[in-house]
Amino acid sequence: MIDPRYVQTMARYNSWQNAQLMPVLETMPMAALTQDRGAFFGSILATANHLLWGDTLWMSRFDPSVEAPACAAADNTTLHVTAAAWAADRFRMDGKIRFWADGLRALDLKNDLTWYSGVARRELTVPLETCIVGFFNHQTHHRGQIHAMLTAAGLKAPVSDLFLMPKDI
């Protein structure tokens, strides 16, 4: 299904996308950043927080050295109250994702992942490859929502085409 090169490329893409979002979000007025824009999680900051929370949760499943999010699922949209705090934590998490991805071997991807799912309210066992594809798909989905909210707010949203990702990222 996937190989380590795919995981490494998507980890680089995630990092690149978030690095482009950080200065945009950090320069937005707090009222604009937290304004309910009718998206699933309401505001730009709430959506960014949800995405970071989800990434942290998945990484705690993929890599035992990563701690699960400190806040409960119900509080995932309020993980950070400022864009600066979000950006600092986001930068750290993106580094962890890239480090993990760079250490994967093809054989690692052939395992199953077992965890208790709060959403399903039961233990699940799923092929790791499926979980990883879902992890990166979740990132792209919610960054797309942020992109749409930025555009609707009259701001310039970052370039998101994978083929335009700089080679040195």
Side-chain angles (χ1 to χ4, degrees), residues 97-116:
I97 293 169
R98 289 186 67 169
F99 184 79
W100 163 78
D102 287 344
L104 283 176
R105 299 166 302 150
L107 186 61
D108 297 328
L109 298 170
K110 300 305 174 193
N111 293 315
D112 287 338
L113 182 66
T114 300
W115 77 98
Y116 179 82

Side-chain angles (χ1 to χ4, degrees), residues 138-150:
H138 182 255
Q139 294 171 347
T140 302
H141 167 71
H142 287 302
R143 273 195 309 268
Q145 291 176 323
I146 292 170
H147 191 280
M149 288 187 275
L150 290 172

Side-chain angles (χ1 to χ4, degrees), residues 35-67:
Q35 177 183 340
D36 187 335
R37 298 181 182 278
F40 189 81
F41 294 107
S43 72
I44 293 169
L45 184 58
T47 304
N49 274 325
H50 166 76
L51 180 50
L52 177 57
W53 183 89
D55 283 357
T56 305
L57 182 63
W58 277 108
M59 283 304 299
S60 73
R61 294 170 180 159
F62 298 154
D63 180 349
S65 73
V66 176
E67 291 185 32

